[in-house]
Structures are given as structure tokens and as C-alpha cells.
Amino acid sequence: MVVFDLDGALVDSLKDLCSSVNRALNEFQRSPLSPIQIQGYLGGGGRQLIAAAATHSEPAAADLIEQIYRVYLRVYRQQLAVHTRAYAGLGYWLHQRPCSLAVGVLTNKAGEAARLLLARIHLLRTLDFVIGAGDGFALKPSSQALEHLLRRYQLSRDCCMVVGDHHTDLRSAAAVGCRRVFCEYGYGQSDRIAAQASVGTPQELVAILHRFGAP
């Protein structure tokens, strides 16, 4: 089984995320953030992203953060696939992947938004599962969803590879002993959590996926 994180590992979505965050902030007269600033807040899900962005330059009450978050969800749903695309080679690999592999996405993004995004970039049907926030599992770094997937597919931890660009991905995989691939080309940091491999480009990841799926 191969379990992808979504943003920064499988898809390059930073432009659409930044645009949506800043449009939501603008509706409430909050200062816009640069892509680098927003990138630093990614990894913990949309609610955490907006809480950090809304309080970046000045305090904000909880009810205001919630209002900004609701606007962000609406705006992001409208433009989640304007610029977002799968990283080079990964979309092709998904369409050609071995049928013996269970392949899916485990993300801290809202599950509904993740599935809509993947459908719009024509990848949803290539996946066996997509699990995100609101789908009944604790967010990463919790290993709850991974443990569920191992039970569902009746796999040992050695047969599971987690691909991510954030320490939350690595921590959740390490908690159950799954193989870990860290995507250096993504948005996050590893926090020095050990991984079996680190890849600097999507092409390096594709090579690892081919070896993992080889009979």
C-alpha cells in the first residue's frame, strides 16, 4: 500500500492555497501574507492554517477566526484547481500503477475538498481511498487513520509506504512502523524524523514507487 499526503507531496497547490487564504483575509480587512509565510503554516489542516494566518500580524478573537475559516472554505472550493496540478510524473504513475497496490491519499485537508480537488484534476478514480479532515479520524500526526487502513487491507506495516512532505506525515507513519519517504520538494519540514528515503524531485519519488510496486 502507498499512502500519499496531498499538498506538497502529490500535488503542487501552493498558488491556489495562497490565493484563497488572502481572499478570505481581505474580506475581514486582515493583512495579506506572502507565499513563504503561508507555506510555513501548512501541514495541520485548513482550520489551523487560517488560525495562524488570521493572527499573523494582530490578535483575532475565536469567533472572527471561525468566520474567516468559513469564508476560506467557500473561496477555496471555488478555485482549488485553478493552478493545482499533480507533480510531474506522479499523475502518470497513478494511471499506470500496479493493480496489486492499494494506493490512496491521507491528508489533513478537509476530506470533501480533497476529493473534489482530485476529481477536478482527474486523479480521484485512480485512487482506492481518500481520507481527510472530517472523515472520522484524528488528524496527523495521529496514526489512527493509518492503523485503520492496515486493518482494512490486512497488511503488515512493512507492506505500507507513506509519502509526505511534513513531519506530521513522518510521525504518523513512524508510530505504526510503516516505511517513510520524505518529499524535500514539498512545503514542510521533517523535524529530523527519520525516513527510509528523502527525495529532492518528484522524478526520484516515481523511481522509488516503481521499485516498490515491482513484482
Side-chain angles (χ1 to χ4, degrees), residues 15-87:
K15 286 184 180 180
D16 290 330
L17 288 168
C18 289
S19 176
S20 300
V21 168
N22 282 329
R23 281 183 59 188
L25 292 174
N26 183 64
E27 287 204 21
F28 295 87
Q29 292 76 52
R30 310 297 282 192
S31 300
L33 275 66
S34 70
I36 293 297
Q37 289 170 326
I38 292 173
Q39 180 175 324
Y41 294 142
L42 297 176
R47 192 178 296 275
Q48 180 178 308
L49 167 63
I50 292 302
T55 57
H56 178 81
S57 57
E58 56 184 312
D63 59 339
L64 176 58
I65 293 173
E66 185 62 24
Q67 291 177 57
I68 297 173
Y69 176 62
R70 288 198 293 268
V71 171
Y72 164 75
L73 290 179
R74 171 176 56 80
V75 170
Y76 185 56
R77 184 182 180 89
Q78 294 170 352
Q79 61 176 59
L80 49 72
V82 174
H83 300 286
T84 298
R85 298 291 184 272
Y87 283 106

Side-chain angles (χ1 to χ4, degrees), residues 54-132:
T55 57
H56 178 81
S57 57
E58 56 184 312
D63 59 339
L64 176 58
I65 293 173
E66 185 62 24
Q67 291 177 57
I68 297 173
Y69 176 62
R70 288 198 293 268
V71 171
Y72 164 75
L73 290 179
R74 171 176 56 80
V75 170
Y76 185 56
R77 184 182 180 89
Q78 294 170 352
Q79 61 176 59
L80 49 72
V82 174
H83 300 286
T84 298
R85 298 291 184 272
Y87 283 106
L90 292 177
Y92 180 81
W93 182 84
L94 284 173
H95 282 283
Q96 304 295 325
R97 67 179 177 87
C99 60
S100 58
L101 282 178
V103 179
V105 164
L106 175 57
T107 175
N108 284 347
K109 184 195 291 291
E112 179 184 3
R115 287 183 285 274
L116 181 58
L117 166 59
L118 288 161
R120 287 188 181 175
I121 62 174
H122 310 294
L123 290 183
L124 185 61
R125 292 185 179 181
T126 70
L127 300 166
D128 299 304
F129 57 86
V130 177
I131 297 174

